[in-house]
Amino acid sequence: MPGWGAAVLVDSHSHISMRQFDKDRDQVMARARDAGVVAIIDVGLDLESSRAAIGLAERYAGVFATVGFHPHSASQMKDDDVDRLAELAQHPRVVAIGETGLDFYRNRSPREAQITAFKRQLELAHRLGLPVVVHSRQANDEVLGILADWAGGSSGPLGVLHCFSGDKELGRRYVEMGFLLSIAGPVTYSKSSAVEVARELPLDKLLIETDCPFLTPEPYRGKRNEPAYVSLVAERIAEIRGVSVDMVAQRTAENAIRLFQLPV
Ligand SMILES: [Zn+2]
């Protein structure tokens, strides 16, 4: 990757199109650049935010978009919205479908609607040859079952379990199936299962992310998160594994570039 400085970071999951960044988005992006963040994946949660993510990707170098319906928005997904997503996905800056998945913690959409929306987006990703960005919260068995069925018939790029919250055994199963696991701010919290995942799973299967404005790493926990703080996630993983921060940054960046086929 010629021309890159020492710290080369990719924030593989962010929501900088959300209103929390409306007042200072340019400064947030400048701080990310200064921290060595060379690419940011801005993740859609519904049609509107997917369009906004594409808008940001057009406006800022190094920003790429995903299009999809979050499990919270699953009940809003209409039958022809798969066609809308397919149209949006034709944009050259769209690199994945999602985030999709199941959230049985908050249950903001009925479970059946979540499962239907998840399966439809998996089919779409398969048809378009794009990876999926998967959200799984208190639905590990259901998500694993659905992804195992889907991945069994897929030869394309599979995707990533974002902010992976399972234990290392579940992590290994996903890695064996061909998925990557993304580590977020909780790895900096005490008693997070992400610590053992960050220690035990191969570095070439890990991505790093902020999920900003949520999940702010220590020492900024409680404040708004932003892409520059992905460096804190890399630092914590480096500490846990006993390797250099540059190594974690570089390898996770390469993993993201490969999965999302980023033209950087
Ligand atoms: Zn997210």
Side-chain angles (χ1 to χ4, degrees):
M1 284 161 261
W4 287 8
V8 171
L9 295 154
V10 173
D11 183 355
S12 71
H13 192 115
S14 76
H15 301 285
I16 40 174
S17 52
M18 288 182 82
R19 57 172 171 72
Q20 284 90 333
F21 297 105
D22 282 353
K23 286 205 174 75
D24 62 346
R25 195 168 283 108
D26 285 344
Q27 290 94 309
V28 166
M29 298 303 288
R31 283 197 291 274
R33 219 169 26 244
D34 291 347
V37 179
V38 297
I40 298 170
I41 312 297
D42 198 62
V43 173
L45 303 165
D46 53 22
L47 276 187
E48 193 188 338
S49 61
S50 296
R51 289 194 185 102
I54 292 172
L56 279 190
E58 288 174 338
R59 194 159 122 223
Y60 294 104
V63 174
F64 301 89
T66 79
V67 297
F69 279 81
H70 190 281
H72 292 340
S73 313
S75 58
Q76 299 162 28
M77 187 174 173
K78 299 189 287 296
D79 281 349
D80 60 356
D81 281 343
V82 162
D83 299 329
R84 301 287 88 71
L85 291 179
E87 287 160 21
L88 292 174
Q90 298 308 310
H91 192 285
R93 306 289 281 188
V94 172
V95 297
I97 298 298
E99 65 183 283
T100 179
L102 303 177
D103 191 315
F104 293 172
Y105 176 66
R106 295 200 191 271
N107 284 310
R108 283 199 209 153
S109 284
R111 292 184 179 197
E112 280 312 310
Q114 292 188 39
I115 291 168
T116 302
F118 186 23
K119 289 182 173 173
R120 295 182 74 198
Q121 290 177 82
L122 289 173
E123 280 166 25
L124 177 67
H126 187 54
R127 178 153 62 85
L128 300 177
L130 288 172
V132 281
V133 175
V134 179
H135 172 111
S136 174
R137 189 144 188 222
Q138 290 201 5
N140 280 342
D141 293 345
E142 293 85 353
V143 170
L144 179 68
I146 289 171
L147 287 180
D149 285 348
W150 177 72
S154 178
S155 59
L158 291 179
V160 56
L161 276 293
H162 115 83
C163 189
F164 182 68
S165 60
D167 60 16
K168 61 178 191 280
E169 281 76 29
L170 183 61
R172 284 206 185 93
R173 292 191 66 179
Y174 277 122
V175 162
E176 280 162 17
M177 284 160 61
F179 287 92
L180 300 183
L181 309 173
S182 182
I183 306 287
V187 76
T188 68
Y189 309 162
S190 59
K191 294 186 203 152
S192 167
S193 61
V195 172
E196 68 167 22
V197 171
R199 184 172 50 232
E200 307 286 337
L201 275 291
L203 198 49
D204 65 352
K205 300 299 179 189
L206 300 182
L207 301 184
I208 54 176
E209 66 171 284
T210 58
D211 200 20
C212 66
F214 314 109
L215 299 178
T216 312
E218 296 287 3
Y220 303 118
R221 194 174 181 183
K223 305 205 173 80
R224 183 189 68 176
N225 200 0
E226 63 177 66
Y229 296 164
V230 78
S231 62
L232 298 167
V233 176
E235 282 168 19
R236 179 70 183 122
I237 296 173
E239 185 180 56
I240 291 165
R241 296 181 78 99
V243 299
S244 72
V245 180
D246 281 351
M247 183 185 187
V248 172
Q250 181 86 27
R251 298 274 291 278
T252 55
E254 287 167 4
N255 299 340
I257 289 165
R258 207 178 322 119
L259 177 67
F260 296 116
Q261 300 194 26
L262 304 181
V264 295

